[in-house]
Amino acid sequence: MNRALIPAISALFLSSCANPLTRPEPKVEAFSTPPNGAVSTASIGDPVISRGKHEVFQAIDLSNKLAIKGQFEATPGQYQIVAEAKNEFYVAPYSGVQPESRQGEIRSLDSAYTGHLKLRIKKESGSACAVRNLGTVLTNWCSDIPANYTRTTGRAMSARSVSQTLIFLGTTNDTARFQFREFSGGYAQPTLEAETAYNLKDSKVITYKGAKLEIIESTNQHIKYRTISTFN
């Protein structure tokens, strides 16, 4: 081996050991909203009750657009943290199914390059560079301005569960209408969809698939209700 290369290789090795990368894994969490006993208000098109599981991942919300030397741009939005070290982290748009928040985008302005890109962001300075691979930065692929961001938690539909939602569609002549949607396997489109209606003169308590609501007030534009129980 060329002896001149030994110090450089040693320095690179020590640097990587002193600043190791970790890769945060998304977690699956159960959710049920609103909680039993809660009094809520929903307008037309709003969910009145939901239950299921979602992916939870570490993320940032980028508030400013980053122009990267005329070659790339990163748009405002949410980005998943895919790797992190002591002084920096790497982000990319969430690649799973239906994230709840609008995702940012790292765009190539040169049609000659269509590879997947990430951003490396320095924690102290906010310096942002486009990278092809973790740890690989080309000096001319960095933004002239720092990234303005806040750390947050991202959520998305889980491919490993079923989620259920009941949506308010309005009230006409004391009949309240709802739409039930069920998603499974991470599909973006409902795997089950049905409409149901209830005459509120007969009862102020409605049930659907185990979900039970007490209707306190209902108009064509909104309902006020108390959650008694969620879906089975």
Side-chain angles (χ1 to χ4, degrees), residues 18-70:
N19 201 25
L21 285 174
T22 59
R23 298 176 186 249
E25 290 293 331
K27 300 178 180 179
V28 177
E29 290 185 357
F31 68 91
S32 180
T33 57
N36 292 347
V39 175
S40 310
T41 301
S43 300
I44 291 177
D46 288 344
V48 295
I49 192 166
S50 300
R51 192 187 82 154
K53 293 182 180 180
H54 47 208
E55 298 265 348
V56 178
F57 54 92
Q58 294 184 39
I60 66 165
D61 287 331
L62 179 68
S63 60
N64 61 322
K65 182 178 178 179
L66 298 174
I68 303 174
K69 298 298 184 181

Side-chain angles (χ1 to χ4, degrees), residues 35 39 41 47 58 64 74-75 119-120 124 127 129 132 162 173 183 188-189 203 232:
V39 175
T41 301
Q58 294 184 39
N64 61 322
T75 62
L119 288 180
R120 188 203 68 181
E124 186 172 341
S127 171
C129 302
R132 293 178 180 175
V162 173
N173 298 327
F183 298 83
Q189 298 298 319
S203 176
N232 291 330

Side-chain angles (χ1 to χ4, degrees), residues 202-222:
D202 295 337
S203 176
K204 297 293 187 181
V205 176
I206 66 172
T207 60
Y208 193 88
K209 289 185 176 290
K212 185 179 291 187
L213 308 174
E214 178 190 4
I215 307 302
I216 299 171
E217 177 184 305
S218 181
T219 72
N220 189 43
Q221 298 299 316
H222 74 273

Side-chain angles (χ1 to χ4, degrees), residues 10-11 18 38 51 97 115 125 136 140 157 164 198 204 208 224:
S10 299
R51 192 187 82 154
V97 180
S125 65
T136 303
N140 62 327
M157 180 183 295
Q164 300 168 309
Y198 300 87
K204 297 293 187 181
Y208 193 88
K224 185 177 181 180

Side-chain angles (χ1 to χ4, degrees), residues 116-224:
H116 296 289
L117 290 169
K118 300 174 180 65
L119 288 180
R120 188 203 68 181
I121 299 176
K122 291 290 186 179
K123 293 180 180 179
E124 186 172 341
S125 65
S127 171
C129 302
V131 303
R132 293 178 180 175
N133 303 301
L134 299 182
T136 303
V137 177
L138 300 183
T139 55
N140 62 327
W141 284 14
C142 295
S143 175
D144 291 329
I145 61 174
N148 295 327
Y149 68 90
T150 55
R151 292 193 67 140
T152 186
T153 298
R155 290 177 173 82
M157 180 183 295
S158 172
R160 293 170 274 181
S161 71
V162 173
S163 63
Q164 300 168 309
T165 301
L166 195 65
I167 298 169
F168 177 59
L169 297 181
T171 303
T172 305
N173 298 327
D174 294 313
T175 298
R177 296 180 297 110
F178 299 86
Q179 183 182 60
F180 174 75
R181 293 180 180 178
E182 184 173 282
F183 298 83
S184 63
Y187 288 105
Q189 298 298 319
T191 51
L192 179 62
E193 203 168 19
E195 288 193 15
T196 184
Y198 300 87
N199 189 330
L200 300 181
K201 285 185 176 181
D202 295 337
S203 176
K204 297 293 187 181
V205 176
I206 66 172
T207 60
Y208 193 88
K209 289 185 176 290
K212 185 179 291 187
L213 308 174
E214 178 190 4
I215 307 302
I216 299 171
E217 177 184 305
S218 181
T219 72
N220 189 43
Q221 298 299 316
H222 74 273
I223 57 168
K224 185 177 181 180

